[in-house]
């Protein structure tokens, strides 16, 4: 589209270099811009831009480059039970680095995660697992999409830990596998796929190839963009006008045990509290024209399935 078409004055042209945003434009754009890849119970992935699905869902797997992630697994705690019909709510307590509640948390459960009663085995629903859930948000670029658009992707808790097989691993094991073999997550194309042998929804991660020079340039640009960092942390701003849930009194616990991995009997909730963020948090700019070269890949299935992240 010609830049003349947006101006009222006939013959007017843009003074921007290669249509790049100024510092002001970038600062305003990062306030509400969020693109994300959504997981679904039927084994498909959806791309959401401006809160709307782009293209059709893709079944089974997709390739991406992981451009950013926090150094540690995050944690979130909700006092009330998940209600898909309820208004959006913030977690009562959360920790981006899994060590202590964030200052913005409205209902912190302890001074640190190690001594927190919600981190006790058996504090979860029906006496299983922990009431405080693991969470991992990563920022990714899509393979073949040279627009440089970055997407947020939430790795389900059941896809974080566990044993791998060969070069196929759950996320935390995958990162360790890459590093042990002299590779970095942002230096390879990663295949993200549903584990068809799992009883519950689980993802597995596999290295496909090293990235090429044009992709290296996109990775560098994405990592230098402040909006990328906003995608991987949980904050009040990211949740819009969502309100905290009522405070839950901690149950007396005889012993506090802390682990970086879930218990064997800890089950991931099928319907995770994915809609607690307000719709404003998903508003973003219209996707760029060169996203067209990946629409063919994201066009295998219908788009009416349940959101999972």
């Amino acid at each position: 589209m010609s830049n003349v078409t947006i101006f009222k004055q006939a013959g007017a042209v843009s003074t921007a270099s290669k249509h790049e945003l100024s510092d002001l434009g970038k600062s305003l754009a990062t306030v509400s811009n969020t693109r994300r890849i959504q997981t679904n119970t039927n084994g498909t992935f959806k791309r959401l831009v401006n809160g709307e699905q782009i293209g059709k869902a893709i079944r089974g797997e997709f390739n991406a480059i992981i451009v950013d992630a926090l150094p540690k697994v995050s944690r979130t705690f909700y006092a009330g039970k998940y209600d898909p019909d309820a208004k959006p709510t913030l977690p009562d307590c959360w920790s981006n680095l899994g060590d202590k509640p964030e200052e913005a948390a409205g209902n912190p459960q302890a001074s640190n995660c190690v001594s927190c009663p919600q981190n006790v085995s058996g504090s979860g629903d029906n006496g299983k697992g922990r009431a405080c859930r693991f969470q991992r948000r990563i920022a990714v670029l899509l393979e073949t999409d040279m627009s440089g658009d970055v997407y947020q992707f939430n790795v389900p808790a059941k896809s974080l830990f566990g044993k791998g097989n060969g070069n196929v691993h759950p996320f935390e094991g995958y990162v360790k596998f890459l590093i042990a073999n002299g590779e970095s997550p942002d230096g390879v194309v990663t295949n993200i796929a549903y584990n068809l042998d799992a009883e519950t929804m689980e993802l597995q991660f596999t290295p496909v190839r090293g990235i090429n020079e044009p992709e290296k340039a996109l990775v560098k640009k994405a990592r230098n963009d402040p909006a990328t960092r906003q995608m991987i942390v949980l904050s009040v701003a990211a949740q819009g006008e969502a309100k905290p849930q009522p405070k839950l009194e901690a149950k007396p616990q005889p012993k506090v045990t802390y682990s970086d991995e879930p218990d064997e009997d800890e089950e991931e909730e099928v319907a995770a509290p994915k809609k607690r963020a307000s719709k404003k948090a998903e508003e973003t700019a219209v996707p760029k024209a060169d996203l067209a070269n990946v629409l063919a890949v994201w066009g295998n299935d219908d788009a009416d399935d349940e959101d999972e992240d």
Side-chain angles (χ1 to χ4, degrees):
M1 179 182 295
S2 171
N3 57 7
V4 177
T5 60
I6 70 170
F7 297 113
K8 181 177 180 179
Q9 181 179 334
V13 296
S14 173
T15 58
S17 175
K18 297 183 180 179
H19 304 287
E20 290 187 357
L21 294 177
S22 67
D23 290 341
L24 174 60
K26 291 178 181 178
S27 66
L28 294 175
T30 57
V31 172
S32 60
N33 282 3
T34 300
R35 303 176 184 87
R36 67 189 185 99
I37 307 297
Q38 173 182 293
T39 55
N40 305 288
T41 53
N42 71 337
T44 63
F45 300 96
K46 299 176 184 177
R47 288 182 306 139
L48 300 181
V49 177
N50 197 25
E52 300 293 334
Q53 182 173 332
I54 303 299
K56 292 184 177 181
I58 184 171
R59 181 169 296 280
E61 61 184 315
F62 70 98
N63 291 345
I65 304 170
I66 301 168
V67 295
D68 208 356
L70 291 175
K72 296 183 179 180
V73 180
S74 303
R75 289 174 173 267
T76 58
F77 168 75
Y78 288 90
K81 291 187 176 181
Y82 173 67
D83 181 359
D85 299 321
K87 293 182 178 180
T89 58
L90 282 165
D92 288 76
C93 185
W94 74 89
S95 173
N96 282 312
L97 295 178
D99 53 356
K100 61 182 179 179
E102 300 298 323
E103 293 184 2
N107 186 12
Q109 299 294 296
S111 60
N112 61 72
C113 296
V114 173
S115 61
C116 180
Q118 310 304 342
N119 185 35
V120 174
S121 180
S123 61
D125 290 341
N126 301 319
K128 293 184 177 181
R130 293 173 171 82
C132 186
R133 310 297 298 181
F134 292 97
Q135 183 185 73
R136 172 68 89 172
R137 293 183 174 190
I138 62 177
V140 302
L141 292 166
L142 298 178
E143 185 188 33
T144 75
D145 179 7
M146 301 308 293
S147 70
D149 287 338
V150 182
Y151 290 80
Q152 180 191 84
F153 184 76
N154 293 343
V155 182
K158 291 290 287 186
S159 304
L160 290 174
F161 305 104
K163 296 181 179 179
N165 183 14
N167 62 352
V168 182
H169 296 267
F171 185 80
E172 298 303 314
Y174 175 67
V175 172
K176 294 177 181 178
F177 172 78
L178 289 179
I179 294 174
N181 286 276
E183 299 287 353
S184 299
D186 57 352
V188 301
V189 173
T190 296
N191 176 261
I192 303 175
Y194 286 97
N195 183 355
L196 300 181
D197 295 325
E199 295 182 358
T200 58
M201 190 188 74
E202 295 181 22
L203 302 176
Q204 51 193 18
F205 300 79
T206 310
V208 177
R209 60 173 175 83
I211 62 175
N212 54 39
E213 290 302 320
E215 290 168 337
K216 288 180 181 179
L218 292 179
V219 169
K220 182 178 180 181
K221 182 178 180 180
R223 290 188 60 83
N224 290 333
D225 188 345
T228 302
R229 177 56 49 143
Q230 289 184 356
M231 289 184 176
I232 63 176
V233 299
L234 178 62
S235 65
V236 173
Q239 297 297 303
E241 299 177 356
K243 304 299 181 182
Q245 293 191 51
K247 184 175 182 180
L248 175 68
E249 296 297 332
K251 296 181 293 184
Q253 300 292 340
K255 182 180 180 181
V256 173
T257 58
Y258 176 80
S259 173
D260 287 333
E261 299 190 12
D263 298 331
E264 291 182 0
D265 63 348
E266 183 173 346
E267 293 292 336
E268 171 67 357
E269 298 175 3
V270 173
K274 82 288 184 183
K275 291 184 178 179
R276 298 185 187 277
S278 72
K279 201 166 184 179
K280 290 183 179 180
E282 292 184 344
E283 292 179 356
T284 187
V286 176
K288 300 176 184 177
D290 41 5
L291 277 177
N293 63 351
V294 292
L295 288 180
V297 179
W298 292 80
N300 295 338
D301 293 281
D302 293 332
D304 55 355
D305 302 301
E306 183 181 359
D307 174 359
E308 271 306 302
D309 64 319

